[in-house]
Amino acid sequence: PKLCPIPNGPALSFLIDFLQAGGMMPECGRSHNVRYLKTTNEKHQPCVCRESKNARSPSLRISVDKEEFFARLNGNNVWTEKLLLFLLAESNCQGNHDKLGFPLKVLVDAGLYSTANNARRGLTAFMEFQRHISIEQADKNGTYHGGSLFTACDIKSNYVTLTRSTAVDFLSDYFTFLPSFAFSLSDGAFVLLHYVFSLARQKTAQIAEKGGFTLSLRGICERMELPPPKDVVNRRYREKIQLPIERAVNEINAAAVGFVDGTLALEIVAPAGRIHEWLDGYLKIQMDGAYAESFNKIAASRTCKMTRFTDAKEKEAAKIAARAESKKKKAPDPVRSVS
């Protein structure tokens, strides 16, 4: 499909953060409901835990089988994010069965690789990469269960057969959508587009009411792993921060034109002043037609559920008030004492 349903939510975000940061994961989370812990698992292997106090978002643990593997994670691992999301989208399209199969040509057609041989090498490298990583989720008793996302990969006659584990299901808190042209974009544009559609799932009301939403440039800078201004030497802010975001925006806008029956337009709204003033600006995202259709349906469904919930609460309150009034009428008049 041109708009691929992909998993979305805290668990997948945690995994992507881990792939990009590895041993540099923060000691504590961004929310009071979440914290990160660097520790070891039962096998004394290094791991990072995302402990959640929210029952709907169980605690997750990501372990690596060797200490030195943490060092390999510190760097540009966008290629793993791209291929992982592609495989998750493909798995969803095939019904999330234990076996996932597709020809290598699919990876070429998606724009991930230029040739089938490159696709074979890339997929083999990814399977070796993810084999070192274990993803586990805590049950209600606090016991962790899981493992690698994919347990086996067989490539014969340019046809791929993957065996997925139950750990894949841990990443599917809910779903969002991603245009399939995303996989052919440059790394920076891919990360930005994924970030936009990940948050679009949380901004459905704004999309339905206003035809879009906004994202802070500081948040985008962090998500694209661009350096903060204090780390940029010789004041090369234009080169290191502004241009990468502008190029990603332009690349996405160009790819979105005519892709489906609808509009996806990204626009940077920021003053042309100092870098800190520029980062106080925002990215304006407008979407309609096919790009917004699924999000509009989700917003309509939420509104309907909220309306039913509000009506039910009002009816219950009316019943309680009526019963109280009935009891008040039936109660005998208090006896007055005669002095």
Side-chain angles (χ1 to χ4, degrees):
K2 288 195 170 185
L3 292 173
C4 309
I6 60 170
N8 193 31
L12 182 61
S13 296
F14 175 49
L15 175 59
I16 289 174
D17 286 345
F18 178 83
L19 291 175
Q20 297 302 323
M24 302 300 292
M25 287 289 285
E27 293 288 354
C28 57
R30 303 171 190 167
S31 166
H32 65 278
N33 287 325
V34 175
R35 66 171 180 163
Y36 294 118
L37 294 176
K38 294 177 184 176
T39 180
T40 57
N41 60 16
E42 294 82 358
K43 298 178 181 179
H44 303 289
Q45 296 167 341
C47 67
V48 175
C49 292
R50 179 187 189 276
E51 291 191 345
S52 174
K53 297 179 181 178
N54 185 348
R56 291 181 297 178
S57 179
S59 295
L60 208 70
R61 183 170 71 184
I62 301 180
S63 309
V64 295
D65 58 8
K66 293 180 181 179
E67 182 75 43
E68 56 268 25
F69 192 72
F70 262 122
R72 289 179 56 188
L73 290 169
N74 298 330
N76 184 359
N77 293 310
V78 176
W79 69 276
T80 61
E81 180 183 343
K82 270 187 177 182
L83 191 49
L84 172 62
L85 289 176
F86 178 86
L87 295 177
L88 293 177
E90 192 69 22
S91 177
N92 184 67
C93 290
Q94 296 185 25
N96 289 320
H97 299 297
D98 293 339
K99 297 288 186 180
L100 166 65
F102 55 88
L104 283 173
K105 188 176 182 296
V106 171
L107 296 172
V108 178
D109 293 342
L112 282 160
Y113 301 99
S114 57
T115 66
N117 285 335
N118 288 342
R120 180 192 297 269
R121 285 192 292 268
L123 186 58
T124 302
F126 173 81
M127 291 301 297
E128 175 63 19
F129 184 88
Q130 66 92 39
R131 186 179 63 83
H132 294 280
I133 302 173
S134 176
I135 302 168
E136 302 163 296
Q137 191 178 80
D139 59 20
K140 61 182 180 180
N141 298 319
T143 304
Y144 284 89
H145 304 275
S148 298
L149 292 174
F150 301 97
T151 58
C153 174
D154 184 33
I155 305 177
K156 292 181 179 178
S157 301
N158 285 338
Y159 190 86
V160 180
T161 303
L162 298 177
T163 303
R164 65 193 291 277
S165 75
T166 55
V168 174
D169 300 327
F170 300 159
L171 306 179
S172 305
D173 296 313
Y174 46 90
F175 283 81
T176 187
F177 299 87
L178 189 67
S180 58
F181 68 73
F183 301 106
S184 63
L185 298 175
S186 65
D187 287 353
F190 173 83
V191 170
L192 177 57
L193 187 63
H194 181 219
Y195 184 59
V196 166
F197 276 84
S198 293
L199 293 182
R201 183 63 174 78
Q202 304 171 28
K203 310 275 189 180
T204 55
Q206 295 181 37
I207 294 172
E209 294 171 8
K210 303 177 182 179
F213 58 98
T214 62
L215 297 175
S216 75
L217 289 177
R218 291 189 185 275
I220 291 170
C221 184
E222 180 181 344
R223 181 64 184 86
M224 292 179 66
E225 295 200 315
L226 301 175
K230 64 182 180 64
D231 292 343
V232 176
V233 296
N234 298 328
R235 300 180 178 272
R236 296 161 63 190
Y237 306 124
R238 176 74 181 159
E239 175 188 348
K240 298 296 183 180
I241 299 176
Q242 295 170 302
L243 277 179
I245 296 177
E246 291 174 3
R247 286 169 181 158
V249 166
N250 293 336
E251 188 177 349
I252 292 169
N253 285 338
V257 174
F259 183 71
V260 292
D261 185 15
T263 301
L264 174 65
L266 279 58
E267 178 187 0
I268 296 174
V269 180
R274 296 180 177 180
I275 185 61
H276 289 286
E277 296 173 349
W278 190 86
L279 287 172
D280 286 336
Y282 59 89
L283 181 68
K284 182 179 179 181
I285 298 106
Q286 293 179 296
M287 56 174 65
D288 59 29
Y291 289 109
E293 182 179 1
S294 296
F295 298 120
N296 289 338
K297 288 180 179 179
I298 293 171
S301 176
R302 282 181 176 173
T303 301
C304 184
K305 288 178 181 178
M306 287 298 298
T307 301
R308 288 201 300 265
F309 176 77
T310 303
D311 290 346
K313 294 291 286 184
E314 289 177 352
K315 289 179 182 179
E316 183 64 23
K319 288 180 181 179
I320 292 173
R323 284 196 294 267
E325 184 67 23
S326 177
K327 288 181 180 179
K328 184 177 179 181
K329 289 181 179 180
K330 292 180 181 179
D333 293 333
V335 178
R336 295 181 181 179
S337 60
V338 180
S339 57

